[in-house]
Amino acid sequence: MTTHESVTKPALPDVSGLVVGVLGGTGDQGRGLAFRLAKAGQQVVIGSRTAERAEAAAAELGLGVRGTDNAGCARDSDIVIVAVPWDGHADTLSALREELAGKIVVDCVNPLGFDKQGAYALKPEEGSAAQQAAALLPDSRVTAAFHHLSAVLLQDESIERIDTDVLVLGEDREATDLVQALADRIPGMRGIFAGRLRNAHQVESLVANLISVNRRYKAHAGIRITDV
């Protein structure tokens, strides 16, 4: 047995019974994550600014997905994924502080700008989108994950596996273990702990590089961590 093969990985918790909410579940990224998690057997609730829009998207997805407004999504879920546009990030979370209290919040928002040269990273005042979420939600257990996933692949029903790693960051190891386990539910994905929230900026920023890769090679690139 090689050294690599003999590495013992810590056991992750069972998350199969938890309800996962997706704020921004009618957008491409949120909708894709909702589809993949529901297909893996997770109970999923998608949220939108209007319940009607979320309900319509949930009906299209099927798989037992429910739709409601953002506040209802936050209240009804154990783990809440934030997949809203960056320009609405702060306002959305500020309005949901009470509903998200005590919840595990998974921020997957990438603060990016675009110009004639392509995508580039923005630096929020707090340091990253995840750190902004932590500042706005002091009573929540904020983590960061699911940044580097192609919305095209997530939504493509003909694709069974998405071979990529999901970098998970946070201060609360129990919370990051749960998010890693959630990522592991999706075939082909693997959750990897990648540090504290102070390291979230470079993880969020890497998406600008992936966009450049995808444009150059006409691909839907992801991330793999070696030797783990």
Side-chain angles (χ1 to χ4, degrees):
M1 180 177 290
T2 67
T3 302
H4 179 75
E5 292 172 335
S6 65
V7 172
T8 301
K9 298 176 183 177
L12 293 174
D14 179 11
V15 295
S16 60
L18 299 181
V19 178
V20 179
V22 184
L23 300 178
T26 58
D28 289 340
Q29 194 79 0
R31 184 187 178 96
L33 283 168
F35 168 68
R36 290 292 163 178
L37 289 167
K39 190 176 181 182
Q42 209 73 39
Q43 298 178 68
V44 176
V45 182
I46 60 175
S48 183
R49 283 175 291 182
T50 65
E52 293 78 13
R53 188 178 178 193
E55 289 165 358
E60 291 178 5
L61 286 172
L63 299 169
V65 176
R66 295 189 293 115
T68 184
D69 61 14
N70 282 331
C73 175
R75 279 194 302 267
D76 294 347
S77 304
D78 301 302
I79 299 177
V80 180
I81 298 172
V82 181
V84 300
W86 167 239
D87 59 8
H89 184 261
D91 289 344
T92 299
L93 295 185
S94 295
L96 297 173
R97 175 173 172 172
E98 182 176 340
E99 289 84 357
L100 291 170
K103 311 278 181 163
I104 294 176
V105 174
V106 188
D107 202 299
C108 70
V109 175
N110 303 302
L112 298 176
F114 295 86
D115 60 19
K116 292 181 179 179
Q117 298 183 62
Y120 61 94
L122 302 175
K123 186 69 176 284
E125 182 179 347
E126 298 85 355
S128 64
Q131 288 170 296
Q132 182 182 86
L136 293 171
L137 304 172
D139 300 318
S140 301
R141 303 163 71 188
V142 175
T143 65
F146 299 115
H147 302 90
H148 305 137
L149 307 180
S150 163
V152 173
L153 296 184
L154 288 172
Q155 295 182 88
D156 190 337
E157 297 184 20
S158 70
I159 295 175
E160 293 296 324
R161 293 175 57 85
I162 300 179
D163 292 319
T164 190
D165 287 334
V166 173
L167 302 183
V168 181
L169 303 96
E171 307 300 316
D172 181 330
R173 187 57 63 87
E174 181 184 17
T176 57
D177 283 352
L178 285 167
V179 178
Q180 284 182 251
L182 190 65
D184 282 6
R185 295 270 287 164
I186 301 175
M189 289 191 195
R190 181 179 62 157
I192 299 288
F193 177 74
R196 295 178 177 271
L197 287 185
R198 69 181 184 181
N199 292 319
H201 172 66
Q202 57 263 37
V203 172
E204 297 169 1
S205 300
L206 187 58
V207 174
N209 301 90
L210 289 177
I211 290 172
S212 296
V213 170
N214 290 337
R215 286 180 175 173
R216 174 64 177 83
Y217 296 99
K218 295 180 173 57
H220 301 292
I223 296 294
R224 274 296 192 201
I225 304 298
T226 63
D227 202 36
V228 174

